[in-house]
Amino acid sequence: MRCTRVLLVLAILVVGLAYFLYTPFPDDAVETLYQMSISLLTATVMAMCDFQEYIGYSSFTKCVLNPLNLRTTTTYTTEELSDSSVQVSEELFDGVKVRLFVPRDTSMKDPLPAVIFFHGGGWIIGSVAQYDSFTRMISRTTPIMVVSVEYRLAPEYTFPIPFQDCLTATKYFMKNAKMYGVDANRIALSGDSAGGNMAMAVGIKLTQERQPPRLLGLIYPALQIADFKTPSYKTYTSSPFLLQTDRMIQFYLRYIFGNDSYLDQFLENQHITAEMRNGVTSKVSVELLPEKYHKLQTRPEDLKPADKSLAEKVGKFFTNVYLCPLMLDDEMLSQLPKTYLLTCEYDPLRDDGLMLAKRWKNLGFPVKHVHWEGVQHGFMPLVKMNRSREAVADFISYLRAEL
């Protein structure tokens, strides 16, 4: 045990030294020191957890939830969770654990609007507790009821189980909205990163079933696995950025297969054939991006031959709209609820969001697309940053106006 802890400390020191010596942020970054500190902290935790999993000390998922293996309290009373502005409780929605945030603002009359929020974390990490301050703030400042969903995580629970948890909790709440003092016609679905993927996927399913939510709030969502050679995936491959290409692909692989055995093939786009890729070019294409990114497009001769055996396994996943919402056809895309879509500059997922925004705009769809320069993936909940507070304020203004 003592040896393990020493090795973990050494890993922390090595990661920290590498960050501060070799990984400067771009010159046009905002609040660089704060962004760097967040990246350092995240990279340190990730390195610790990779190492703990490698030596068999803990799984990556368990480690990220509790990196130092400390004893934690998992059950809280409403009084312990609540504060002077928001009453907070935990419930089960048809078997799915959720955390409810209800504003105490007595000037608000029932029924309230509501946001169902799905946290980020690559489908394998994250929790309602880790997002508590963010969801609490949305409820307090809007004010609206927020339902934060504790869906089950991969790799123990692979696709579609986490998606189904989100869908189950959403349907339960929409059906019982009146019981919670909520207007069923004023419910939004929102989430960031993997949670943004969930929000759009659940929104698609409910729209197909003719019971759509009022609106979607997608914060730098993960949207496709057809192309990992987009300009943003090619650019953000290493530190100092909080999310990097190989890590994002690992998240996808653990969500889909429960392991990341195919990481090298996915990094080289060998997981789908040329025929498969050509079949989705109207949905995933560098041509949908702003002109400044075209110069980074991968030339055909750069592509390695497809792994046909792997492509057969991937075939049923890469066009599944509940896993890859960007694969939705234009007709169905135009039928989704009005949407707030946020993207940011230093993010492997940036181009996914830009492609979605362009497709929606070409359709004349009511999307509000907000792109934030100078910040990285994961910046939204970091409310100590001025840019984060600006982004949250803009999102809240949208919710107030549209809900």
Side-chain angles (χ1 to χ4, degrees), residues 231 289-296 345 350 354 371 373:
L289 300 177
E291 184 64 30
K292 66 180 179 179
Y293 298 126
H294 288 187
K295 63 182 180 180
L296 298 175
E345 181 67 15
R350 180 197 66 205
L354 294 178
H371 183 70
E373 301 281 349

Side-chain angles (χ1 to χ4, degrees), residues 50 65 88 99 139 141 143 147 161 191 197 236 243 325 344 352 384:
D50 281 335
L65 291 173
V88 185
R99 186 171 288 190
S139 181
T141 57
V147 179
I161 292 174
N197 171 283
Y236 303 109
L243 181 64
C344 62
D352 289 8
K384 291 186 178 180

Side-chain angles (χ1 to χ4, degrees), residues 284-335:
V284 182
S285 172
V286 174
E287 298 302 317
L288 293 166
L289 300 177
E291 184 64 30
K292 66 180 179 179
Y293 298 126
H294 288 187
K295 63 182 180 180
L296 298 175
Q297 185 175 12
T298 302
R299 299 188 307 276
E301 58 266 33
D302 291 335
L303 298 176
K304 293 184 177 180
D307 182 329
K308 293 185 178 180
S309 176
L310 176 57
E312 288 182 8
K313 296 178 182 179
V314 173
K316 65 179 179 180
F317 293 109
F318 94 109
T319 56
N320 187 317
V321 296
Y322 309 127
L323 174 70
C324 303
L326 197 57
M327 294 297 118
L328 202 64
D329 61 53
D330 285 351
E331 181 179 359
M332 191 64 198
L333 196 63
S334 66
Q335 296 176 25

Side-chain angles (χ1 to χ4, degrees), residues 202-383:
V202 173
I204 291 170
K205 181 65 173 176
L206 293 177
T207 300
Q208 291 171 334
E209 295 180 352
R210 301 184 184 279
Q211 49 179 334
R214 177 70 168 265
L215 60 87
L216 303 178
L218 310 180
I219 302 169
Y220 31 75
L223 298 172
Q224 58 90 21
I225 62 169
D227 189 2
F228 294 110
K229 291 290 188 180
T230 64
S232 58
Y233 268 120
K234 289 172 62 179
T235 301
Y236 303 109
T237 59
S238 60
S239 56
F241 305 107
L242 187 148
L243 181 64
Q244 301 161 21
T245 297
D246 59 349
R247 182 69 70 184
M248 188 63 225
I249 296 176
Q250 285 178 331
F251 288 157
Y252 269 121
L253 289 173
R254 294 191 180 198
Y255 183 37
I256 299 170
F257 299 113
N259 61 71
D260 50 20
S261 300
Y262 304 117
L263 177 61
D264 291 340
Q265 294 97 318
F266 271 65
L267 279 167
E268 295 297 332
N269 266 355
Q270 294 177 280
H271 61 294
I272 63 174
T273 64
E275 183 179 7
M276 294 163 68
R277 185 174 297 107
N278 291 336
V280 298
T281 52
S282 64
K283 302 167 184 175
V284 182
S285 172
V286 174
E287 298 302 317
L288 293 166
L289 300 177
E291 184 64 30
K292 66 180 179 179
Y293 298 126
H294 288 187
K295 63 182 180 180
L296 298 175
Q297 185 175 12
T298 302
R299 299 188 307 276
E301 58 266 33
D302 291 335
L303 298 176
K304 293 184 177 180
D307 182 329
K308 293 185 178 180
S309 176
L310 176 57
E312 288 182 8
K313 296 178 182 179
V314 173
K316 65 179 179 180
F317 293 109
F318 94 109
T319 56
N320 187 317
V321 296
Y322 309 127
L323 174 70
C324 303
L326 197 57
M327 294 297 118
L328 202 64
D329 61 53
D330 285 351
E331 181 179 359
M332 191 64 198
L333 196 63
S334 66
Q335 296 176 25
L336 292 181
K338 56 189 173 184
T339 300
Y340 182 98
L341 173 61
L342 181 148
T343 56
C344 62
E345 181 67 15
Y346 312 141
D347 184 2
L349 300 178
R350 180 197 66 205
D351 293 348
D352 289 8
L354 294 178
M355 290 176 193
L356 177 60
K358 178 62 174 176
R359 289 181 61 196
W360 262 331
K361 289 176 182 177
N362 288 346
L363 294 169
F365 179 84
V367 59
K368 179 178 180 181
H369 175 221
V370 182
H371 183 70
W372 294 92
E373 301 281 349
V375 289
Q376 62 181 322
H377 184 95
F379 85 100
M380 185 81 155
L382 307 177
V383 292

Side-chain angles (χ1 to χ4, degrees), residues 87-102:
Q87 180 174 314
V88 185
S89 62
E90 293 183 335
E91 296 192 23
L92 290 177
F93 281 5
D94 202 8
V96 179
K97 185 178 178 181
V98 301
R99 186 171 288 190
L100 298 177
F101 300 83
V102 183

